[in-house]
Amino acid sequence: MRIFLKLILSLFLIAIGSVGGFFAATKYRSQLEAVASQVVDVATSETPGRKIIYYKNPMGEPDISAAPKKDSVGMDYLPVYSDEMPPGGAVGPDGRKIVFYRNPMGEPDVSAVPKKDSMDMDYIPVYEDEIPGQPGSLLPKPEEPTKAIAAEGGKKILYYRNPMGLPDTSPVPKLDSMGMDYIAVYEDEDIGPADPSIVKISVEKVQRAGVRTEAVEMRVLSEPLRVPGTVALDERLERSITIRTEGFIEKVYAGATGQHVKAGEPLFRIYSPQIVQAAVEYRIAAAGGQKAIGAKKLHNYGAPESYIKSIPLSGEVPLSLDWPSPVDGVLMSKNIVVGARVMPGDELYRLADVSKVWVIADVPEQDVGRVAIGNPVSISVRAFPGETFAGKVAFLLPELKQETRTAQVRIELPNPKHRLLHGMYADVTIDTGSNAPVVAVPESAVIDSGNKQVAIIEVGEGRFKPQAVKLGRRGAGQVEILEGLAVGDRIVTRANFLIDAESNLQAAFTAFVASEGVAK
């Protein structure tokens, strides 16, 4: 019957061609061509009762499709109808009719009979109810591949994506080169072009993992730098007590190291023949009206002003004098005893004014750049728990201690009650922040591998994307973001390692598949 129909159709087309040639030059040419076109369309269209099983390559290559398509030169694939399949045909164990056999690795190769591939794997049977458009078929109709409805939940399927994350989609179900089914992408899951870096995690899994997100904001970073320190004397307020003449100590008033003395308070009594002789010369000069010239020698000997004023203009000159303290301070060292002979240049006492002290803080090398002169400082010592002393950074020493690789930072503190003692250990907190707000996120939001810093951005419900960031200053549990994030981005602050692991696994699979494709 089919051969007879083709013969009738051929004769009819020849007749039409003859008539068309006869009237080629007439005004009826266009009408005849339209009639011929309609006849051909009717004759070649699908007749009632004939079902299209699949579409085959027009050039005879081993390539089929479940939906209409074109080959590389623009030719339409040819439909293969159910009545064009081999008669009889095999059936499966469940009685279903086997239409053809497909390649077990998903390659575009089919067979009408059972066969094996190059790896000795059996071709997989495709049953009649697995063909698109057949009654009972579970696949979408070829003419409406993008309007498929999922069996579960009634959600609309937009397309099918590569199971390994490669940028390859299909309007109908298919297998990749490894025999894995393409994954359906539903209407509410569409994320645009395939992006292997985007990780899709179900809402239930996100909740179970305890994933937390928050928006990126502008924040003022408080950057306390906590370092150890030691209380030291203000070197500018130290004073060495020496004498410029030879003499003998007759009495010691300040006889104990650590004793506090006030300015003008006597330290010791000394007999010095040179000072006595200068005093006699001063009195003689003063009697002649040349007091200033006479006092010059006493000033050169370093005699105290109080002693010069006490020299009488008549009578005996005192043979010894009490040497007063020039400043308030504490005796840091004492090198005299009663009866000792002293020579010019000998240091008899060392005094230190402790109304101001220094705290020398040891700042690690990597944090030196955060410290600047004038930074506010808060200091606490173990001797006074719960109490803090306020000061400022006064100076940064221009060298590092080789043993500890730390820089010494000098902090000046008032010490009116002399409570801070030389040599005390101190806990130093330097405020290195500024009042300018910056883009900042919690430190927990950044995954730092040493060579690379990554934050996880939430791009949609259940969809996350790793984003490389460049970090700046840190402080109070926050870190400044110089590049990679913008205000308003939602980032993962908890359980981000889970998402990062998912992303790394997906990227590894993508790279593996790509390398396998290159090798082939």
Side-chain angles (χ1 to χ4, degrees), residues 465-488:
K465 179 178 180 179
Q467 176 64 47
V469 295
K470 184 177 180 180
L471 306 183
R473 300 173 294 145
R474 298 174 183 262
Q478 303 288 323
V479 57
E480 180 184 8
I481 302 298
L482 301 178
E483 295 178 7
L485 296 177
V487 175

Side-chain angles (χ1 to χ4, degrees), residues 132-377:
Q134 291 297 312
S137 173
L138 300 179
L139 301 181
K141 294 181 179 181
E143 61 271 15
E144 296 181 331
T146 60
K147 298 181 181 180
I149 303 299
E152 297 181 3
K155 293 188 294 183
K156 182 178 178 180
I157 297 176
L158 297 181
Y159 54 87
Y160 297 82
R161 64 177 178 86
N162 189 285
M164 303 306 295
L166 296 178
D168 180 25
T169 62
S170 172
V172 295
K174 63 180 290 189
L175 301 177
D176 67 358
S177 58
M178 299 176 65
M180 299 174 64
D181 290 316
Y182 271 47
I183 301 172
V185 176
Y186 299 96
E187 188 173 26
D188 59 349
E189 295 180 345
D190 185 29
I191 57 176
D195 189 345
S197 64
I198 294 180
V199 180
K200 177 70 172 66
I201 301 178
S202 65
V203 177
E204 295 79 6
K205 189 174 182 180
V206 168
Q207 294 176 347
R208 288 198 305 269
V211 175
R212 296 290 182 270
T213 63
E214 67 176 59
V216 178
E217 300 176 351
M218 299 289 289
R219 293 184 173 93
V220 175
L221 286 185
S222 174
E223 298 181 272
L225 176 61
R226 296 178 175 84
V227 294
T230 306
V231 178
L233 298 173
D234 187 339
E235 296 174 358
R236 298 169 298 185
L237 302 179
E238 291 189 55
R239 181 66 68 88
S240 176
I241 308 300
T242 61
I243 194 168
R244 301 175 185 177
T245 62
E246 183 180 352
F248 298 88
I249 303 300
E250 293 183 348
K251 190 174 183 178
V252 175
Y253 299 105
T257 301
Q259 179 181 341
H260 187 270
V261 296
K262 295 182 179 180
E265 182 179 340
L267 299 175
F268 57 91
R269 177 174 291 176
I270 185 172
Y271 164 67
S272 173
Q274 293 171 303
I275 293 179
V276 172
Q277 182 180 355
V280 172
E281 294 174 357
Y282 167 75
R283 188 171 68 174
I284 296 172
Q290 297 181 343
K291 184 184 290 189
I293 296 175
K296 186 174 182 180
K297 194 171 187 180
L298 288 171
H299 287 147
N300 290 339
Y301 285 152
E305 191 67 30
S306 59
Y307 171 72
I308 296 175
K309 292 180 180 180
S310 67
I311 297 174
L313 297 180
S314 61
E316 293 184 1
V317 175
L319 298 180
S320 60
L321 69 146
D322 291 339
W323 203 279
S325 172
V327 294
D328 289 348
V330 175
L331 297 180
M332 304 307 298
S333 64
K334 166 185 165 291
N335 301 314
I336 62 171
V337 293
V338 176
R341 178 188 179 187
V342 295
M343 301 299 292
D346 288 348
E347 183 180 73
L348 309 182
Y349 290 96
R350 177 170 288 273
L351 295 178
D353 184 357
V354 294
S355 61
K356 283 186 178 181
V357 294
W358 288 348
V359 173
I360 306 300
D362 293 322
V363 178
E365 182 178 0
Q366 64 270 21
D367 294 323
V368 172
R370 298 170 55 186
V371 181
I373 294 177
N375 286 147
V377 180

Side-chain angles (χ1 to χ4, degrees), residues 441 445-448 451-457 466-472 479-486 491:
V441 299
V446 179
I447 302 173
D448 193 343
N451 297 326
K452 185 178 182 181
Q453 293 77 39
V454 174
I456 306 298
I457 300 178
Q467 176 64 47
V469 295
K470 184 177 180 180
L471 306 183
V479 57
E480 180 184 8
I481 302 298
L482 301 178
E483 295 178 7
L485 296 177
I491 57 171

Side-chain angles (χ1 to χ4, degrees), residues 12-26 28-29 32:
F12 184 71
L13 291 176
I14 293 172
I16 290 176
S18 301
V19 175
F22 179 76
F23 292 101
T26 70
Y28 300 105
R29 178 178 178 177
L32 290 174

